[in-house]
């Protein structure tokens, strides 16, 4: 059955709804207060919540229910699922933990639930999850209160995560940086819906342009995963951070989500073959997601680095060379033209070092001159230097007109962060270190090569 | 001659002092308005600045001058240095750029200045520098206005940088994060005072406990550098980020500070032999500095990772294993004891996964139980989960009583950043990703091993 009702249900039952502040069931009540469809509260304690009636069981709800969100202790979950079956509810999100991640007894409980799901043809996300956030439909089962975890606005990135914690930190950072999200799914133990189902679904979702994933172990067959991700990769980039890449990590995975993490090398090879962009760590997952969501793909590998701080240019070049990127110098004609624009002590190679006293317009003049010679630009603009005005944000944003990927670097506190935010609001991702921007360009390039190699 | 007057002059002449807001000479006037000693303004235009008289030349200053800060166009610098010689000024900081970093003509100008310096026995920092910041004496020649670059408070880290831009971004981040600095020196072209002189000086400076460096090319002889850094390393850690590690990077270095960057492998080997902790990128330099400034060294390699988010624990373990760290499980007796403290679905290996519903006290109970079995702790506290209260900061800070290094991880926005700040104010460094905390522990360990291998 389709997964659509997880994201766009007409009616939702919150099982375990609570009026006690701080409880998971209370955060859910709060989250769904802005939901457009019908919302029903279910609890064995049927005293009203915020003046609204509470049902003893989903079976007592008069109207039809598309989705049940279940936040009751593990031992009550099988009973609730049976009720959902009776009620004919097609989709459930089981937030409760205490299942296969805890050992044999938990696995047995999952097995019991799985049977009921099959009989009822119910699709389930979970257990052991934070659940689903859809910024468009306002489904929000994330039981972390808003004063602890900011909710990002609407955007193009969808995020699939086996770990609720990894997922919630990413969302929290995105919310702070003003980076939008489309759908978020914490799928935990993946008793039913797994990463491959979600990839398949998001692959056809018009509101998803980039898929980021944190995966500990593939829950579908390896063959299905690769088949699906190869297909989806051709349409949109998939970024994967694999948890449990080492022996110790693999062991930790088994006690976390009950997955078999498998050999890291096998995973990496499979990812590569499927066009998946692998992130080496949490930070790369975050950085790459931003890059793909905001910028077009490079059509070739010629990168130009422009900087107003020599040291940062050098660090960027070092990273580019370590990553095998191509850093051609500008053509002789361009060098001549550019040297007329810059002070005599500026350095016009790759990087182009504008020198500290250059103003914002120089970035425009240089990219304008070089746009046809390069496939992408890393623009380093250190704002500690007063010669670069706040207007540099507008200048950098405007350079997107050339259709080449642009990644910006601005490192610092107060003023820098303010300008960086303006640049990102204009669609250009900003990184706090030169190395992170360069790695992100490399990710865009790798994916671009995959698509053109396998494209029509 | 000693370098002390750069940091603790009784009197300072600002050559190029200006009343025009935004000009370098004006920022210097502003910076020295809080300086305790005598300050003299020098400019060919002798109209008063802020009602205070301006001298045409340093030679006209009636009192003695310990330090001249020179911010005039390159072509005027030789004349100013001659005047300094006449006046008997022993120390100059030449901020002006346009020297050896720009080519042969600039190198010739440096040569000319070098001669005058020798004749006058003048020690010089620069040219092409941001200069010096001493948070204790309030010498501040950083010509970047305070609304663009925050000034960090007093602390234990001293920072030597060949690139002003790299230096100013680090200071700006430190100021935002509330991390203190002792001395900062941007030494640029190192016409006279070079990285080795500064290492030597900071090695004996009581207010410096950690030395961080950004170096593009060693300006002293390799032998001197290694001899000095080996000696200083035994007393305090030296962290080095080397710019220009690749072929392209080396070329960029030569047009930046006119240095020969040399082979990356030779550098890395020399660093290792001298006990220098090498940072792979900007972020590591920042992260390692924090760790060394705040925490004691581990006495062995047994690391315990405690987390309230499973995925973050796994990412930490993966990084630890990649870095060759030792992650023993707790002893059987400890496991038994700890299992009585945690819910049944918590996982007690290494990492110990407290599960999301544990409160702050669990960190205390676990570290208290395991302090004698481990040499260091990475404590991951994800604050999106409401069960961890704001008081977790106090708990984590208090765990320093065991004398083992503690590195914390807290990833997120608003609330998380507030708590992270409290933790750092209490002396425990906080990292936004598990990988960065683990790498920082590895840096502490590597240095600790060097010291005990070469110690008495």
């Amino acid at each position: 059955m389709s997964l659509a009702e997880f994201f766009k249900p007409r009616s939702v039952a919150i099982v375990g709804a609570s009026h006690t502040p701080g409880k998971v069931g209370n955060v859910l009540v709060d989250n769904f207060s802005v939901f457009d469809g019908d919302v029903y509260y279910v609890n064995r304690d049927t005293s009203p919540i915020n003046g609204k009636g509470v049902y003893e069981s989903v079976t007592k709800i008069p109207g039809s229910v598309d989705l049940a969100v279940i936040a009751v202790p593990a031992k009550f979950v099988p009973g609730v699922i049976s009720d959902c079956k009776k009620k004919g509810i097609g989709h459930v999100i089981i937030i409760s933990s205490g299942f296969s991640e805890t050992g044999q007894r938990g696995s047995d409980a999952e097995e019991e639930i799985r049977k009921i799901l099959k009989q009822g043809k119910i699709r389930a996300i979970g257990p052991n999850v934070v659940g689903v956030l859809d910024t468009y439909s306002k489904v929000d089962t994330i039981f972390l209160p808003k004063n602890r975890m900011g909710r990002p606005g609407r955007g193009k990135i969808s995020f699939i995560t086996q770990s609720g914690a990894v997922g919630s930190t990413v969302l929290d950072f995105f919310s702070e940086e003003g980076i939008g999200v489309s759908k978020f799914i914490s799928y935990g133990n993946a008793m039913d819906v797994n990463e491959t189902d979600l990839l398949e679904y998001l692959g056809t979702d018009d509101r998803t342009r980039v898929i980021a994933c944190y995966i500990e172990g593939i829950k579908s067959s390896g063959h299905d995963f690769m088949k699906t991700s190869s297909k989806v990769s051709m349409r949109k980039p998939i970024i994967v951070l694999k948890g449990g890449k080492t022996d110790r990590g693999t062991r930790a995975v088994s006690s976390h989500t009950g997955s078999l993490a498998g050999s890291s090398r096998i995973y990496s090879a499979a990812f590569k073959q499927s066009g998946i962009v692998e992130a080496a760590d949490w930070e790369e997952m975050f950085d790459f997601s931003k890059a793909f969501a905001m910028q077009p793909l490079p059509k070739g590998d010629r990168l130009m680095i422009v900087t107003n701080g020599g040291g940062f240019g050098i660090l960027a070049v070092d990273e580019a060379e370590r990553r095998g990127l191509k850093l051609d110098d500008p053509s002789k004609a361009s060098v001549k033209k550019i040297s007329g624009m810059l002070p005599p002590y500026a350095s016009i190679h790759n990087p182009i070092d504008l020198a500290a006293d250059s103003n914002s317009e120089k970035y425009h003049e240089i990219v304008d001159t070089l746009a046809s010679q390069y496939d992408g630009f890393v623009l380093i603009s250190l704002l500690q230097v007063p010669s670069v005005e706040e207007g540099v944000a507008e200048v950098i944003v405007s350079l997107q007109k050339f259709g080449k990927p642009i990644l910006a670097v601005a490192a610092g506190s107060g003023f820098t962060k303010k300008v960086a935010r303006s640049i990102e609001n204009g669609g250009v991702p900003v990184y706090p270190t030169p190395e992170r921007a360069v790695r992100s360009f490399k990710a865009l390039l790798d994916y671009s090569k995959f698509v053109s190699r396998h494209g029509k």
Side-chain angles (χ1 to χ4, degrees), chain A:
Chain A
M1 214 194 296
S2 155
L3 305 186
E5 275 81 3
F6 284 116
F7 306 103
K8 251 191 154 173
R10 282 156 305 176
S11 51
V12 176
I14 301 172
V15 185
S18 166
H19 36 59
T20 311
K23 278 208 145 192
V24 168
N26 188 255
V27 178
L28 293 175
V29 163
D30 185 46
N31 290 352
F32 278 93
S33 64
V34 295
F35 179 70
D36 278 338
D38 296 323
V39 179
Y40 302 104
Y41 301 155
V42 178
N43 201 316
R44 286 190 306 170
D45 167 3
T46 56
S47 53
I49 297 173
N50 301 338
K52 192 172 159 168
V54 173
Y55 299 94
E56 202 187 341
S57 153
V58 292
T59 56
K60 310 276 175 161
I61 295 171
S64 76
V65 175
D66 286 342
L67 171 68
V69 182
I70 301 169
V72 297
K75 60 181 171 183
F76 299 122
V77 172
V80 170
I81 302 287
S82 290
D83 289 349
C84 289
K85 188 185 108 184
K86 277 181 216 149
K87 177 69 185 167
I89 297 174
H91 295 76
V92 299
I93 298 173
I94 307 170
I95 288 175
S96 322
S97 57
F99 290 92
S100 60
E101 80 279 11
T102 62
Q104 192 51 50
R105 202 184 297 176
S107 297
D108 293 346
E110 266 185 35
E111 205 39 60
E112 187 190 342
I113 295 170
R114 196 176 277 117
K115 276 182 201 149
I116 313 171
L117 292 176
K118 269 207 175 153
Q119 293 161 3
K121 291 182 182 157
I122 304 173
R123 299 304 313 258
I125 289 177
N128 189 24
V129 299
V130 176
V132 168
L133 170 71
D134 185 314
T135 55
Y136 291 91
S137 73
K138 294 180 187 160
V139 167
D140 178 356
T141 78
I142 300 179
F143 56 81
L144 306 166
K146 296 193 174 91
N147 64 339
R148 290 300 189 94
M149 193 204 89
R151 297 326 194 241
R154 291 173 171 176
K156 300 171 188 169
I157 304 170
S158 284
F159 187 35
I160 302 173
T161 179
Q162 200 164 357
S163 157
V166 171
S168 55
T169 55
V170 171
L171 288 185
D172 200 12
F173 270 109
F174 276 152
S175 80
E176 183 179 56
E177 290 211 6
I179 295 166
V181 160
S182 174
K183 294 173 176 60
F184 165 89
I185 311 105
S186 146
Y187 67 93
N189 295 5
M191 186 170 60
D192 173 34
V193 173
N194 60 34
E195 69 297 318
T196 303
D197 299 325
L198 290 166
L199 280 175
E200 177 87 47
Y201 178 76
L202 293 175
T204 60
D205 176 40
D206 287 342
R207 283 188 170 137
T208 298
R209 298 267 292 275
V210 180
I211 304 172
C213 311
Y214 171 74
I215 292 177
E216 295 182 351
I218 303 294
K219 293 287 192 164
S220 72
S221 77
H223 175 262
D224 285 354
F225 174 79
M226 285 184 66
K227 200 178 134 194
T228 300
S229 47
S230 301
K231 189 178 64 182
V232 173
S233 281
M234 288 304 300
R235 284 200 295 262
K236 49 189 88 172
I238 303 173
I239 301 150
V240 171
L241 172 62
K242 169 75 174 69
K245 275 191 200 157
T246 60
D247 287 351
R248 274 262 161 200
T250 304
R251 262 187 49 190
V253 159
S254 117
S255 46
H256 182 219
T257 42
S259 304
L260 291 170
S263 151
S264 139
R265 259 190 258 162
I266 294 175
Y267 271 103
S268 291
F271 291 159
K272 200 168 176 187
Q273 210 182 317
S274 315
I276 287 173
V277 180
E278 194 176 358
D281 56 19
W282 190 99
E283 206 160 74
E284 284 197 358
M285 180 177 59
F286 185 83
D287 289 348
F288 294 176
S289 300
K290 262 168 61 164
F292 280 104
M294 295 187 178
Q295 288 296 299
L297 298 178
K299 297 206 168 63
D301 55 3
R302 298 165 304 167
L303 172 66
M304 167 50 76
I305 295 164
V306 183
T307 184
N308 69 333
F312 262 51
I314 289 161
L315 294 173
V317 168
D318 275 343
E319 187 66 21
E321 191 145 315
R322 278 192 291 262
R323 304 273 158 168
L325 291 167
K326 211 169 160 189
L327 294 176
D328 290 341
D329 279 348
S331 69
K332 278 192 182 158
S334 304
V335 170
K336 205 175 159 192
K337 202 169 161 195
I338 292 168
S339 60
M341 303 168 182
L342 296 178
Y345 42 86
S347 160
I348 309 162
H349 301 282
N350 194 352
I352 291 178
D353 183 352
L354 304 174
D357 49 1
S358 284
N359 65 13
S360 313
E361 276 309 313
K362 299 298 171 199
Y363 292 95
H364 182 272
E365 293 171 22
I366 285 170
V367 175
D368 189 33
T369 307
L370 298 178
S372 62
Q373 280 171 64
Y374 290 92
D375 302 302
F377 293 85
V378 166
L379 303 181
I380 301 170
S381 183
L382 301 177
L383 297 155
Q384 284 78 22
V385 176
S387 51
V388 181
E389 323 84 62
E390 208 166 328
V392 73
E394 210 179 312
V395 172
I396 289 178
V397 166
S398 78
L399 296 175
Q400 296 178 96
K401 69 184 170 196
F402 296 108
K404 309 282 171 111
I406 292 178
L407 308 180
V409 178
S413 66
F415 182 81
T416 294
K417 290 215 163 142
K418 187 178 150 204
V419 175
R421 185 66 178 261
S422 303
I423 298 174
E424 291 204 331
N425 285 344
V428 174
V430 182
Y431 297 91
T433 77
E435 294 95 344
R436 288 170 67 175
V438 168
R439 281 171 219 151
S440 299
F441 178 80
K442 179 61 164 49
L444 294 178
L445 179 62
D446 285 346
Y447 176 67
S448 175
K449 282 181 176 169
F450 171 83
V451 172
S452 59
R453 221 170 26 239
H454 295 81
K456 326 126 208 176

